[in-house]
Amino acid sequence: MRVLGIELRRSAAPVLGGLVVVLLLGLLFWLPPAGKGSTAWTRQWWSMAEWVRYALVFAWPLTAGAGAVQGLRDRRSGVEELFASTPRPRAQRAARTLAALAVALLVAYLVVVVVGGVQVAAKAGHLGLGWVPVALVGLLSLVAAAWLGMGVGRLLPSPLTPPLLAVGAMALMVVAEAAGDEGYPFVLLRPSATRPGSVFAHTAGSVSAGQALWFGGMAVAGVLLFALRRWWSGVLPLLAGAALALPLLPTTSAEATAADPAAAELACADGLCLTRAHERERAALAGPAREALALLSKLPAPPAEVRELPNPVRPEPRGPEPTDTVWLDLDDLVYFRSTPLPAIRITELLVEGAGTRECNARDGFPDREVVARAVTTAWLTGHLTPLRNYLGEEDPELNPLAQQALTTLNARPAADQRAHVEAARQSLAACTGTAWTALTGEPA
C-alpha cells in the first residue's frame, strides 16, 4: 500500500481523477436535459446512472488521452533504459501505475455517483438495483480507456500520441452517436449511453453484459500493451472482447431498452393512482387531484380517478383515451421543475381540456382546438386563463375568440352547457379535431 500511495502521488492519477469529477459534474449540472423532467439525473437511480454514462462522451476521450500521457512518463523522464536494466519484472512495475490510475478513477466515479445519489435518495419512490450494472460498466469503461491510453502511449512514445488519441476517441464517439439504428450493434460498443427517455424503460441487461465483455477486453489490451510493448498483444484481447460482446448486443435501439414493470406498478388511494417511480409525489398531488375530480363532477359523466400513465415510450401524437379517468403524464404536466408548481396550478392543469391531455403537446393544435381546451377549462374553474403565443405574450387573436365562446356558452341553459362541454371533452379525448364544433356548434 505504501508503494501504491507513492505511485498515486507521483503519477498523473490524482489530476486525472479531479478532472473527471469536475467534467462529469459540470456536464450533469450544466446540460439542461439532465436536470429537467422526471428523468433528471437527481430524481431516479436509473436516470442518474444513465446520465453519468451519457456524460462519458466527453470524459472518456479525456481519460484515454491522460492515460497516454502517463504511458509516456518513463520516456519523458529519460529513465526507460535504466528501469529496463533492473531485475524487477516489468509487469510488477506496470501493475502499480495501472492500479494508481484505476484507484483514482474509481474514487472520481464514486464521488459523482454519491453526489447524485444523495439527491436521488430524497426524491426517488422506487429504488431497485438494476442500475448498478450500468454504473459499473461506466466505471470499467473509464479504467479501460486509461489503461489502453497508457499502452498506446508506451507503444508509440510521441508527444503527439495523447492529443491524437483523445481526438480520435472523440471522433469515434460522435460517429457512433450519429449512426443511429444503422450502426447497431456496433454503436453499443461506445462507453456513453443514450440519454434517458423514460423512468419506465431502461438499458437492457444484454447491453450491460456485452459492454462489460468489450471493455474488459479493452482493459486487458491496455495492460498487455503497457507491460509488453507488442502491438499484437493488444489486438488479440480487443478482438476477443468484440467477438464475445457483439452476439449479446441488440441490433436495434428498441431492443437496447427494457421496460421496468416494478417502476410502472400502480398504487391507488383516494382517487389518485401513481406509479412506484413517482410514489413520493403523492403528498403534493393528492390535494389537487381531489379538487380536480370535484370540479369535473359538474359533467354528466365525470371521471372517477386520476391515473398516471406509465408509458415506457411516449408516442407523439397520442391516440384516443377513455374519459372515465383523468390520464396523467407528469412530464406533460410540466410538473418536474426547479420551482414546484402551486397546488392551484396543478389543479388547473389536471382539469385542462375538461380533464383530457393534449393530442400533440410538442407540435400544438389548430388554433380553435386550443381555444376549445381553454374554454372547457374556464367553464369548470370559473375563470379564463389568458392564452399566450410562443413569445409568452397574451395572444391578441385567440383570447377575444375564447372570451366570446365562453360568454356564448355561459348564456345557454345549464343543461345545454354541460352537454356541450361533455361533447367537447369526448372529442378532445378521442383526438378527432372537432372539439370547437362540439362546443360552439360552429364549423372549425
Side-chain angles (χ1 to χ4, degrees), residues 14 44 65 83 85 157 165 167 175 309:
Q44 298 288 340
F83 286 165
S85 64
L165 183 62
V167 171
V175 170
L309 276 169

Side-chain angles (χ1 to χ4, degrees), residues 64-65 68-69 72 149 151-167:
V69 172
L72 292 172
V152 172
R154 186 156 190 170
L155 182 68
L156 303 172
S158 167
L160 296 177
T161 299
L164 289 178
L165 183 62
V167 171

Side-chain angles (χ1 to χ4, degrees), residues 254-404:
E255 296 173 350
T257 59
D260 186 350
E265 182 181 338
L266 287 170
C268 299
D270 298 327
L272 176 61
C273 297
L274 292 178
T275 61
R276 288 184 61 190
H278 295 145
E279 180 64 24
R280 288 198 179 215
E281 310 301 329
R282 181 175 297 278
L285 291 171
R290 284 194 301 269
E291 182 65 21
L293 292 175
L295 291 172
L296 291 166
S297 66
K298 297 165 58 177
L299 296 172
E305 64 181 8
V306 176
R307 179 180 290 262
E308 184 181 358
L309 276 169
N311 290 333
V313 179
R314 302 172 61 203
E316 294 286 357
R318 72 161 175 84
E321 292 177 345
T323 57
D324 59 348
T325 298
V326 177
W327 300 99
L328 171 63
D329 186 321
L330 291 177
D331 281 305
D332 281 350
L333 198 68
V334 199
Y335 177 74
F336 296 108
R337 297 154 41 108
S338 56
T339 303
L341 289 172
I344 187 173
R345 181 57 181 153
I346 297 176
T347 300
E348 291 175 350
L349 292 172
L350 288 175
V351 301
E352 188 175 285
T356 62
R357 297 192 307 133
E358 292 186 5
C359 289
N360 195 338
R362 182 173 301 170
D363 297 328
F365 281 127
D367 289 347
R368 300 214 171 192
E369 287 289 293
V370 174
V371 173
R373 290 185 63 83
V375 172
T376 55
T377 306
W379 184 83
L380 290 164
T381 61
H383 63 275
L384 179 63
T385 301
L387 294 168
R388 301 185 180 277
N389 58 24
Y390 67 97
L391 296 174
E393 303 169 347
E394 292 191 14
D395 196 298
E397 297 181 2
L398 298 188
N399 280 305
L401 186 63
Q403 186 61 61
Q404 179 183 352

Side-chain angles (χ1 to χ4, degrees), residues 117-118 243 289 307 374 434:
V118 168
R307 179 180 290 262
T434 59

Side-chain angles (χ1 to χ4, degrees), residues 23-24 27 31 54-63 170 173 192:
L23 181 58
L24 289 180
L27 288 171
L31 285 173
Y54 179 79
L56 293 183
V57 68
F58 297 104
W60 202 86
L62 168 69
T63 303
M170 188 68 201
M173 300 276 276
S192 63

